[in-house]
Amino acid sequence: MTRSNDLTEERRWPRFTQHALDAGVRSTLSFQLYTGNHTSGALNLFGKTRHAFDEESVLIGEVLAAHAAIAIAAARTAEQLLSAVASRDLIGQANGMLMERFGIDAAQAFAMLTKLSQDSNTPLAEVAMKIVDLGPDRR
């Protein structure tokens, strides 16, 4: 938590302080948003008066910051899960196409996909997308 009770006396951030004062801000209270080792941003509160934030404000801000950090982490996790499901489906489609095209089983098709990925230094999902985008073999 970082607090500045009176920006007219603040010396840590001269450029920010001047812009804040010009905008009518006289005090600030900031909380780092983090979960574990990951920082997600900051919750910044601005007061129009000096000494706008007391100890109760700090406690409430800490609770709000913790909730915000958890919400951001949950949103990122959900986004990653959706991406993983989409990648899994795409890889499954490419695997099926290789099985049909080359008359091989699922393990052989997946081995082919992973070898293509490693040999080209391309993520597996990208290799799968290229195969799917090429479409069925039009002999």
Side-chain angles (χ1 to χ4, degrees):
M1 182 269 308
T2 301
R3 177 174 24 186
S4 180
N5 288 321
D6 185 353
L7 287 180
T8 62
E9 296 177 5
E10 184 60 65
R11 301 293 173 249
R12 291 176 283 186
W13 320 287
R15 287 183 13 200
F16 165 78
T17 299
Q18 189 56 56
H19 288 292
L21 288 169
D22 291 347
V25 175
R26 295 297 176 258
S27 55
T28 64
L29 183 58
S30 298
F31 301 90
Q32 183 178 1
L33 302 181
Y34 62 91
T35 53
N37 295 331
H38 303 289
T39 299
S40 301
L43 171 64
N44 298 304
L45 306 172
F46 304 100
K48 291 183 176 186
T49 62
R50 291 181 286 198
H51 301 278
F53 305 107
D54 58 12
E55 291 310 309
E56 183 179 9
S57 301
V58 171
L59 293 174
I60 292 169
E62 287 172 342
V63 170
L64 289 174
H67 280 85
I70 291 167
I72 290 169
R76 284 186 178 156
T77 299
E79 186 177 304
Q80 289 168 346
L81 288 173
L82 288 174
S83 177
V85 167
S87 293
R88 185 203 67 197
D89 289 347
L90 194 60
I91 291 166
Q93 286 178 333
N95 214 44
M97 291 173 76
L98 291 174
M99 290 167 61
E100 192 278 329
R101 187 172 296 158
F102 297 106
I104 56 179
D105 66 23
Q108 290 170 315
F110 190 72
M112 186 182 286
L113 272 175
T114 56
K115 181 161 178 27
L116 283 168
S117 172
Q118 290 170 351
D119 289 351
S120 64
N121 196 27
T122 305
L124 186 61
E126 283 185 36
V127 170
M129 185 181 345
K130 288 177 184 177
I131 290 170
V132 170
D133 286 347
L134 288 172
D137 188 12
R138 302 195 195 283
R139 296 177 217 216

